[in-house]
Amino acid sequence: MSVTERTDVLVVGSGFGGSIPAYHLAAGGARVVVLERGPHLGSQDFAHDLRMGSYTRTVDLVEGDGITVVAGNCVGGSSVVYFAASLRAPGFVFDRQGSLGHRLWPSSLTRASLDPWYDRVEETLPVSLPRWDQVPYPGGLFAAACTRAGRTCNPVPVAVDLDRCTNCNWMLNGCHFDAKRSMLLNYLPAATAAGAEIRALHEAQTIAPATTPGYRYRVAYTVLDGDDYRVPVGAGTIEAKVLVLAGGALGTPVLLQRSAALLGGVPSAVGRYFSGNGDRVSIADVDESKVRELLGLQRAPGVAYEGFPVGKPIGSMSFDRLDPQDPEFTRFSLQQIYFPGITNILAQATDRPDSSWFGVAKKDLRSRWRSWLSVLAMTEDDNEGVFGPPPATGSFTRVASSVGLSTLRHRPTAHTLRGWAAADAEARAVLERDGLARVRPWSETVGSLTAHPLASCRMGDDPATSALDDHNELRGHPGLFVTDAAAVPTSLCVNPSLTVAALAERACPHIVDRAAEAGVAVRYGAPAPDGATSGRRGVLGQAR
């Protein structure tokens, strides 16, 4: 006979969106359980190699129809594998209308109203702004090219302890030195210290109404084999008075879709309006002699650059094309970024489809790998992704330990293509000036690729086009909140982690209110995990 457990608050997922509510609810006095489908690893487990069984333990590569998504799969979620760029979204983002013709973000949410919640996150992580002498070589090269082309460029604020960082450039594999400020170093240990229980290798499968009086939701889960996530080794159910979904923009909508009949329906916007944050990647094949001649740079005696894999993955960024007066779908940022060697096959060698993937030109291009510079454009896309019927279990069909097939279908609209074209043109204008480099986009034969999935269960004021209200609560389902990247309404033109975290912080007072209404002895107002209180003082006045 199966036994159903009970808790005050159940959190599904332990990344930015899950760890923050887990901490605040536990610190406020609630009993909190966190279900995380990935393993629980620490700095001692993060290896500096690309062997199967190393990074594949924590990173999922999920292929949809027309798009591939990279996501974290471990306790700490994507915060463990992200590149730590921590930026606030530009103010104009909150006024975006997309192709629907009306404001997509809730009217109560503006950059000014979110700033105090950004402050809370930055205080906790914390976020650092590198000096130019702390920016990696590729970041310096990009900055020099921008300056020569008449553009501005700035170091990127990062959630990294710069004194501890060794510039090993293995951020995808976690941080072996605990320099990257993932959730493993702040919110999660603080939640555990406050009594929260974190259960790794537990994958939520369905949500249904609770059967116990006083409880709202019943979640069925499977326990996964730590060596092969496709193999279930156990199962269970747990009921909660409040449920927080934070399984990511690939996981949360699928869980809700699968549970729709059990819940008596879910909003029509669940599983629609997916955004890849407008991500667009190009590779610049840099001419070393031009680096010396045009930019006057020298990384070492006799070596102008050859520094693509040296340093941190993200170093510098141009914000010149983020003018709020420009039309929507023409605004974007350009960021210097490094991707591991396993992605090098994606660089398009020629303009001809028949020779861009294979052949001599491709081998020749890859032979100059150390002289590459990769650029990430984050544009205003059109939220065109749609999920099909959910698989029987999980967020996608797992075909290998870290590889999955999703029902997500993505066809970029003319608006999205317009933004990508503008970003491509700007990258060429900066990097191809006087023959400094040749810009090659990543091959489009594999569709677009993003590490910033968003908006598949988004907030908004319009019930027809948003699944959540402005407090992150699922419409028609009191006490069920979504606090991960799925809640972010649109692409942001910058890396989204800080905004996801700030929105999760903002949702916590409302989650506390719902828990208190359900009879939980809980209150809002905990300090930052390290005891700091300045951020708390900044939000208490608007916490309700």
Side-chain angles (χ1 to χ4, degrees), residues 34-296:
V34 180
L35 303 183
E36 167 57 54
R37 75 178 180 193
H40 197 164
L41 305 175
S43 57
Q44 71 281 359
D45 302 306
F46 300 136
H48 287 179
D49 63 58
L50 292 175
R51 298 176 182 176
M52 300 296 288
S54 291
Y55 76 97
T56 55
R57 298 178 69 188
T58 58
V59 178
D60 279 333
L61 188 69
V62 184
E63 183 176 348
D65 181 1
I67 191 168
T68 300
V69 181
V70 181
N73 181 49
C74 56
V75 171
S78 290
S79 79
V80 174
V81 301
Y82 80 141
F83 290 168
S86 300
L87 299 107
R88 303 187 182 199
F92 66 77
V93 163
F94 300 90
D95 295 319
R96 287 194 57 200
Q97 297 190 358
S99 60
L100 293 179
H102 62 73
R103 195 176 194 270
L104 299 176
W105 285 73
S107 58
S108 62
L109 258 169
T110 63
R111 167 61 187 270
S113 70
L114 196 57
D115 274 337
W117 304 100
Y118 279 126
D119 290 342
R120 285 222 78 176
V121 179
E122 290 177 346
E123 176 183 62
T124 296
L125 292 178
V127 174
S128 303
L129 181 64
R131 304 184 307 269
W132 276 114
D133 63 357
Q134 295 172 312
V135 170
Y137 292 108
L141 174 61
F142 182 60
C146 284
T147 299
R148 191 172 186 278
R151 273 70 167 180
T152 65
C153 192
N154 295 278
V156 178
V158 289
V160 173
D161 182 335
L162 297 174
D163 293 330
R164 183 183 288 267
C165 180
T166 66
N167 286 307
C168 68
N169 223 346
W170 283 98
M171 277 192 178
L172 181 70
N173 295 49
C175 184
H176 188 66
F177 306 101
D178 281 343
K180 180 171 65 174
R181 310 304 296 176
S182 74
M183 300 297 97
L184 296 175
L185 302 179
N186 34 70
Y187 288 101
L188 286 176
T192 301
E197 180 184 354
I198 300 170
R199 300 181 185 178
L201 300 170
H202 281 58
E203 184 173 55
Q205 300 296 350
T206 59
I207 306 166
T211 58
T212 303
Y215 289 78
R216 285 196 178 106
Y217 298 102
R218 177 186 179 98
V219 173
Y221 62 85
T222 53
V223 183
L224 306 179
D225 187 309
D227 295 320
D228 188 342
Y229 305 146
R230 296 169 293 182
V231 179
V233 295
T237 55
I238 185 168
E239 293 186 341
K241 297 178 179 179
V242 168
L243 176 59
V244 179
L245 299 184
L250 286 182
T252 291
V254 176
L255 177 58
L256 286 171
Q257 285 179 322
R258 187 184 301 118
S259 306
L262 297 171
L263 291 171
V266 296
S268 61
V270 169
R272 299 179 61 197
Y273 307 113
F274 173 92
S275 165
N277 201 39
D279 286 0
R280 173 78 167 174
V281 181
S282 296
I283 295 293
D285 181 14
V286 179
D287 185 328
E288 290 280 338
S289 65
K290 294 288 187 178
V291 172
R292 186 179 298 106
E293 173 189 339
L294 300 176
L295 304 181

